[in-house]
Amino acid sequence: MPTNNEIAKILSETADILEIQGAIVFRVRAYRNAARVIENMTDKLSDIVARNPDELNSIRTIGKTLHDKIIEFCETGKVEEFDKLKESLPPGLLEMLKIQSFGPKRVKLVYNKLGIDSVNKLEEAASEGKIRVLPGMGEKSETKILKSIRDFRTLQTDRKPWAEAEEILQNYLGYITKIDGIHHIQPAGSFRRCRESVGDLDILVTCNENAGGIIQHFAEYPEVLEILAQGETKSSVVLKSKIQVDLRVVKPESFGAAMQYFTGSKEHNVALRALAKDKNMKLSEYGVFQNDESIAGKSEEEVYNAIGLDWIPPEIRENRGEIEKAKNHTLPNLISLDKIKGDLHCHTTHTDGSASLPEMAAAAKKLGYEYIAITDHSKAVTIAHGLSAERLLDEIMEIDKFRGQNPGIYIFKGIEVDIMADGSLDLDDEILSKLDFAIAAIHSRFGMNSDEMTERIVRAIQNPYVRCVAHPTGRLIGERIPYEMDISKIISAAKENDVALEINSSPHRLDMNESFTFQAREAGVPICINTDSHSPDGFLNMRYGINIARRAWCTEDNIVNSWSLGKLKSWFKPPKEVVQCELF
DNA sequence: GCCGTTTTCGGCCCGACTGTTTTCAGTCG
């Protein structure tokens, strides 16, 4: 059965094709809206279809036509009309849409006038000066196209975002475990290490004796596109979703050693084996051996302990100093989802959220949170119906009233205030002073050079009411590269001014990324893990941000929203002391 | 293509930015 992402993808590609063909914008938008809603749903659409297709009718943005198409896709694995649409266009045209500043009109223009039907041909034509003769195009357009194509290529990757890999994996595990005889089944590899993206999936299984049957069953999964290898204890397949999955069947007494071995990373394992050798031991996927005798292997703890180490959490097995710490019993106590006490970035129907303030508060309370901050958009983000000072005052009043009536969860008064091109904010200090805190963010003018962008963000950090910078680099995974900026200067300005940097947990952003977070934590910058939720379901994305934070060695001390309500209240108390930073 | 106290037709988030143009089309969020 297709995943939500796969259904969303087919709808969104239909929208792309219709757009190039010149369909009316609202029809195109209907497909896009549905794709977005489906992508963000927590319930699996294919489950709903299997249970009761009529339930689809209650989902916003899915009407009669899309209802039928989704059922067709779930039942037959394809949508006839989509296949026809796809055949009507050269395949390269859709790829060209991914080039920044290249939309459907321009794709159509270069295709009709110059026969350009691929990114490669577009690049060739642009570098030969053939684009500038077209109406509405000029020399600058060509330069821009060439730069956009370079950016596009750096974003191209075979790896899947972790969240997408997780969905594929969960479905596969659900299928595999239907066969009898499996003792343990666990994912390993970079997925278990929670890397931001995953190249292939590794699954480990222990069983009684039916190894052959399990391997056979594994390869018969209906989503398998190609079987690469199939032996007695190992099979590799490629799924229709274009990801390779390896299954290994191991003996129970070796399960821990195999988990350790196949979880990696390679660098971590090389260092571990060297350490074992120093102690006259041998470490392999079958266990720890001394004089050819197995002394450990059943569990990972046993394996690590046998070579004199504490067990190391998978997320930090990258040979970045964790082995030394495990030796000295000084490994960090990594942050985890259960330590999170609230979410400090979310939206309501006051701007572009889909749920009211009480609904968002109720959803947060249900998760066991002690507090949340409501941070709707400010006026510059017109598309989100951003708040003017007057409308923000209304929201503040609503929060005051809500606080009085709902002792179970504390609502911080916040705003996601926009950083203008010059680093000023689009709301003045007078209104900001009425809030608990402001979280500053960029939503426009992404193309500034590094010096300008760095100065812009540092100026915002130096505003007395700003306590956090949201999605600091602006990257959208697979879609937009991060802004040019000097990360070390941002980090030191944040540190000097005691301003937090955000890990935005949206699976499309994951911004800051792991390396930025690592540097920020080492510098002692407070870190928020927020979801930027626009609906109650959005809160569930927190775990993706947790993955990043754990990989960056963050502990409770580092993570602002694991602090107690009291500690947070006293930290917020605006205005803060501003430290001017020397930039250049 | 979706949706509905404006309800089965006629609306649908809309302003900023860019690069091309002399007033605007295309793209983006």
Side-chain angles (χ1 to χ4, degrees), chain A residues 233-436:
Chain A
T233 61
K234 178 187 159 177
S235 177
S236 290
V237 299
V238 176
L239 298 183
K240 289 174 189 162
S241 47
K242 300 285 163 60
I243 188 166
Q244 182 176 330
V245 188
D246 297 340
L247 178 79
R248 286 158 210 275
V249 182
V250 300
K251 295 205 168 79
E253 61 266 29
S254 296
F255 187 63
M259 279 298 284
Q260 196 292 309
Y261 182 87
F262 290 110
T263 296
S265 66
K266 203 171 192 172
E267 290 71 22
H268 175 86
N269 286 358
V270 167
L272 234 53
R273 287 197 290 272
L275 185 68
K277 205 174 168 195
D278 277 351
K279 294 177 183 280
N280 286 320
M281 297 175 188
K282 191 185 79 170
L283 171 63
S284 75
E285 65 258 55
Y286 298 105
V288 183
F289 297 86
Q290 202 161 29
N291 303 324
D292 286 336
E293 195 184 328
S294 168
I295 58 167
K298 199 166 182 205
S299 72
E300 274 195 336
E301 284 82 355
E302 218 181 83
V303 169
Y304 278 97
N305 293 343
I307 54 174
L309 301 178
D310 290 343
W311 178 80
I312 300 174
E315 293 91 336
I316 61 172
R317 298 182 191 171
E318 302 289 342
N319 198 26
R320 288 194 284 226
E322 73 279 8
I323 293 171
E324 198 59 29
K325 297 245 181 212
K327 213 183 285 176
N328 304 330
H329 312 296
T330 53
L331 280 169
N333 192 5
L334 300 181
I335 186 75
S336 53
L337 191 54
D338 59 306
K339 307 270 173 52
I340 295 297
K341 296 194 173 68
D343 200 319
L344 300 176
H345 184 172
C346 70
H347 299 269
T348 72
T349 42
H350 280 272
T351 59
D352 58 349
S354 65
S356 66
L357 191 153
E359 286 168 339
M360 292 300 276
K365 199 172 163 185
K366 208 171 155 194
L367 291 173
Y369 285 167
E370 293 173 23
Y371 49 78
I372 53 168
I374 298 293
T375 55
D376 271 309
H377 286 288
S378 57
K379 61 186 181 188
V381 191
T382 48
I383 189 171
H385 196 40
L387 301 176
S388 62
E390 292 71 31
R391 287 177 51 223
L392 180 53
L393 278 174
D394 290 343
E395 191 171 44
I396 290 172
M397 277 166 58
E398 189 188 351
I399 294 174
D400 278 330
K401 198 171 148 206
F402 185 91
R403 276 183 188 169
Q405 298 164 348
N406 296 273
I409 184 158
Y410 190 82
I411 309 288
F412 284 110
K413 299 168 186 168
I415 183 89
E416 183 180 3
V417 64
D418 243 59
I419 309 175
M420 305 285 87
D422 64 356
S424 64
L425 305 177
D426 71 331
L427 289 174
D428 58 33
D429 286 0
E430 195 199 330
I431 180 75
L432 296 182
S433 73
K434 300 187 192 305
L435 300 166
D436 294 306

Side-chain angles (χ1 to χ4, degrees), chain A residues 36-329:
Chain A
R36 204 184 52 241
V37 165
I38 290 168
E39 214 176 36
N40 290 322
M41 276 175 56
T42 43
D43 282 346
K44 282 185 60 189
L45 219 46
S46 53
D47 287 347
I48 296 177
V49 171
R51 192 168 61 223
N52 176 14
D54 288 345
E55 274 184 50
L56 287 182
N57 297 330
S58 62
I59 301 170
R60 206 170 36 89
T61 71
I62 299 177
K64 176 82 180 76
T65 307
L66 295 187
H67 171 276
D68 292 350
K69 290 202 160 92
I70 289 165
I71 288 177
E72 185 189 350
F73 191 40
C74 287
E75 285 175 352
T76 69
K78 60 191 187 118
V79 179
E80 205 174 317
E81 195 187 324
F82 172 73
D83 290 343
K84 276 191 194 149
L85 276 174
K86 219 172 170 179
E87 278 168 24
S88 68
L89 286 182
L93 293 194
L94 287 184
E95 193 178 56
M96 283 163 69
L97 276 181
K98 293 182 185 145
I99 306 294
Q100 282 273 332
S101 83
F102 234 72
K105 296 275 165 48
R106 287 181 184 155
V107 167
K108 203 172 164 184
L109 178 74
V110 297
Y111 178 56
N112 287 340
K113 299 277 181 189
L114 301 172
I116 291 171
D117 61 4
S118 71
V119 172
N120 285 342
K121 286 184 190 166
L122 179 65
E123 186 176 35
E124 202 181 309
S127 49
E128 287 170 1
K130 288 179 178 163
I131 301 290
R132 66 184 69 177
V133 300
L134 297 172
M137 299 302 237
E139 218 171 313
K140 276 191 177 171
S141 314
E142 281 175 346
T143 314
K144 200 170 177 180
I145 287 167
L146 289 171
K147 178 183 184 308
S148 296
I149 290 177
R150 282 196 301 275
D151 290 348
F152 165 76
R153 294 233 164 89
T154 66
L155 292 169
Q156 286 297 295
T157 162
D158 296 320
R159 302 177 70 87
K160 297 251 183 250
W162 189 88
E164 203 177 313
E166 185 194 32
E167 196 182 354
I168 293 168
L169 178 70
Q170 293 302 350
N171 287 341
Y172 210 166
L173 292 180
Y175 164 84
I176 296 170
T177 48
K178 280 187 186 139
I179 194 168
D180 288 338
I182 292 178
H183 275 176
H184 293 294
I185 180 160
Q186 285 287 338
S190 56
F191 176 82
R192 181 165 179 243
R193 301 203 314 281
C194 297
R195 274 196 62 174
E196 184 182 302
S197 64
V198 174
D200 55 17
L201 289 166
D202 299 284
I203 302 172
L204 253 57
V205 161
T206 63
C207 64
N208 285 339
E209 42 231 13
N210 190 20
I214 292 170
I215 297 272
Q216 182 68 28
H217 176 67
F218 171 79
E220 283 169 356
Y221 186 43
E223 293 298 310
V224 167
L225 180 73
E226 190 188 353
I227 299 171
L228 299 175
Q230 193 175 353
E232 283 175 16
T233 61
K234 178 187 159 177
S235 177
S236 290
V237 299
V238 176
L239 298 183
K240 289 174 189 162
S241 47
K242 300 285 163 60
I243 188 166
Q244 182 176 330
V245 188
D246 297 340
L247 178 79
R248 286 158 210 275
V249 182
V250 300
K251 295 205 168 79
E253 61 266 29
S254 296
F255 187 63
M259 279 298 284
Q260 196 292 309
Y261 182 87
F262 290 110
T263 296
S265 66
K266 203 171 192 172
E267 290 71 22
H268 175 86
N269 286 358
V270 167
L272 234 53
R273 287 197 290 272
L275 185 68
K277 205 174 168 195
D278 277 351
K279 294 177 183 280
N280 286 320
M281 297 175 188
K282 191 185 79 170
L283 171 63
S284 75
E285 65 258 55
Y286 298 105
V288 183
F289 297 86
Q290 202 161 29
N291 303 324
D292 286 336
E293 195 184 328
S294 168
I295 58 167
K298 199 166 182 205
S299 72
E300 274 195 336
E301 284 82 355
E302 218 181 83
V303 169
Y304 278 97
N305 293 343
I307 54 174
L309 301 178
D310 290 343
W311 178 80
I312 300 174
E315 293 91 336
I316 61 172
R317 298 182 191 171
E318 302 289 342
N319 198 26
R320 288 194 284 226
E322 73 279 8
I323 293 171
E324 198 59 29
K325 297 245 181 212
K327 213 183 285 176
N328 304 330
H329 312 296

Side-chain angles (χ1 to χ4, degrees), chain A residues 335 340 342-345 371 373 375 437-439 467-472 498-505 511-512 517 520-521 525-532 542 545-546 548-549 554-563 568 571-572:
Chain A
I335 186 75
I340 295 297
D343 200 319
L344 300 176
H345 184 172
Y371 49 78
T375 55
F437 84 122
I439 182 163
R467 264 290 175 213
C468 181
V469 178
H471 39 77
D498 200 19
V499 163
L501 297 177
E502 177 184 83
I503 298 173
N504 189 295
S505 306
D511 179 15
M512 306 177 283
T517 308
R521 177 195 52 78
V525 174
I527 291 163
C528 289
I529 312 177
N530 295 329
T531 61
D532 199 352
M542 181 64 76
I546 295 278
I548 303 278
C554 292
T555 66
E556 278 179 87
D557 278 350
N558 307 123
I559 304 299
V560 170
N561 50 318
S562 73
W563 296 352
L568 204 49
W571 185 65
F572 276 154

